[in-house]
DNA sequence: TATTGTTATACTCTATAACTATA
DNA sequence: TATAGTTATAGAGTATAACAATA
């Protein structure tokens, strides 16, 4: 459990921070994955897709889902196919563009997502149970800067 | 790029923090992966394994590597096989236990790792370039609490 | 020509479980 | 019996590229 031993070198602070960030994320993610699997027989990307749809009652187009989930289009097709087959989402035509669909939660999908989301949230709350409200907001703010840095960089021309 | 839209519900702070943590980690990780691939034709787990060995000049046993890298044993065997084939690490017998090996960096492995680590560190420093020294240390400290929470939990009997 | 979405394919990463050899 | 490590297998997750239909 000591991935952080990777730190060495002359800029140890940034490196140690990165390794800790990675460790924390992996620990939480592994726990969420295995619990989603155990209790709901589902995966994180499936949960993620449904979560995106829950916020968009009118549905989302495939390319919008792809952008929000930060994965390429082919993958979204696969996940969507599974969820359609289980009756949790459906594809509806977009008026005026016969190439495109919108993907929506079905009533059943909405209900199932609600159950999962409630559990999921409780697990997340537990994961951050060692932090005060102020700590949580500090973390959120500082990580926001990291996110900005990375997003800004990804929009620059390649170095 | 808006995974964080997943937040909903009554405990939005913890959830939003988790989604931001996940987004940040994914952004940094994807960049590191693709750069390691482009410049050194290697992967993050391979880099990780070599980094563990760099800190242990006398080498590490397979189960120790597995523990530190937080993955199961079979995977470590596969990665080690690749690195042995490329002459970057070698397996040496453990005196007094003919079941076990220790895996060590070769001279060539050490040299190649050094080059990679220098670049890797620079990329990481850039990723956190938006933070002051104090921010970095605050983040490190708060994430340390999260890590403790998760590690403590994983040692409890199953819920 | 460009865009939307799908299909086909391949690779990385991981876990599980059965196995061999040694303790 | 237990432990160290390997092998075999399966599945998640992802990217890339070629493709069809429509704009």
């Amino acid at each position: 459990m000591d991935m952080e031993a990777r730190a060495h070198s002359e800029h140890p602070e940034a490196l140690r921070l990165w390794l800790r960030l990675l460790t924390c994320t992996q620990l939480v993610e592994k726990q969420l994955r295995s619990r989603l699997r155990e209790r709901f027989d589902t995966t994180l990307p499936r949960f993620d897709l449904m979560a995106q749809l829950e916020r968009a009652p009118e549905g989302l187009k495939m390319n919008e889902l792809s952008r929000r989930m930060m994965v390429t289009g082919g993958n979204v097709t696969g996940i969507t196919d599974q969820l359609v087959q289980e009756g949790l989402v459906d594809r509806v035509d977009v008026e005026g563009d016969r190439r495109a669909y919108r993907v929506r939660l079905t009533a059943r999908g909405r209900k199932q997502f609600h159950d999962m989301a409630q559990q999921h949230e409780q697990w997340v709350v537990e994961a951050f149970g060692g932090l005060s409200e102020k700590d949580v907001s500090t973390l959120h703010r500082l990580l926001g800067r990291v996110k900005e840095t990375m997003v800004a960089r990804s929009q620059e021309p390649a170095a």
Side-chain angles (χ1 to χ4, degrees), chain A:
Chain A
M1 202 66 74
D2 200 1
M3 282 230 329
E4 301 185 13
R6 291 204 308 200
H8 31 258
S9 74
E10 312 89 51
H11 262 285
E13 321 81 21
L15 212 43
R16 270 192 295 133
L17 172 54
W18 163 237
L19 296 171
R20 179 157 291 182
L21 186 62
L22 189 56
T23 300
C24 281
T25 302
Q26 286 179 347
L27 286 168
V28 176
E29 199 174 347
K30 276 186 190 183
Q31 189 177 86
L32 292 177
R33 265 184 216 286
S34 79
R35 289 180 170 183
L36 279 174
R37 167 68 62 201
E38 277 170 30
R39 303 246 195 139
F40 299 106
D41 192 31
T42 195
T43 66
L44 218 37
R46 286 167 54 118
F47 179 77
D48 190 11
L49 193 153
M50 293 177 77
Q52 295 295 344
L53 296 184
E54 201 250 355
R55 302 269 305 184
E58 72 293 347
L60 291 172
K61 294 204 301 176
M62 296 299 277
N63 61 5
E64 182 63 14
L65 269 173
S66 168
R67 195 184 63 79
R68 296 194 187 196
M69 294 174 69
M70 300 199 288
V71 300
T72 51
N75 305 304
V76 179
T77 298
I79 299 170
T80 302
D81 287 347
Q82 292 174 24
L83 296 174
V84 166
Q85 189 142 15
E86 296 174 31
L88 301 171
V89 309
D90 55 11
R91 293 181 163 102
V92 297
D93 292 343
V94 166
E95 198 151 345
D97 186 344
R98 280 161 45 195
R99 294 170 308 182
Y101 297 101
R102 272 180 298 120
V103 183
R104 280 186 325 188
L105 283 179
T106 61
R108 188 163 154 234
R110 205 154 29 241
K111 183 184 175 317
Q112 176 169 322
F113 177 74
H114 185 260
D115 295 345
M116 292 194 298
Q118 206 166 350
Q119 264 298 312
H120 177 267
E121 177 175 321
Q122 191 182 316
W123 296 330
V124 170
V125 167
E126 282 170 26
F128 296 112
L131 301 176
S132 70
E133 275 188 34
K134 192 172 166 230
D135 291 338
V136 169
S137 107
T138 301
L139 261 180
H140 190 263
R141 180 172 54 80
L142 294 179
L143 290 172
R145 295 227 206 105
V146 177
K147 183 181 171 186
E148 276 171 32
T149 302
M150 297 305 293
V151 170
R153 169 119 26 112
S154 75
Q155 284 161 356
E156 287 168 10

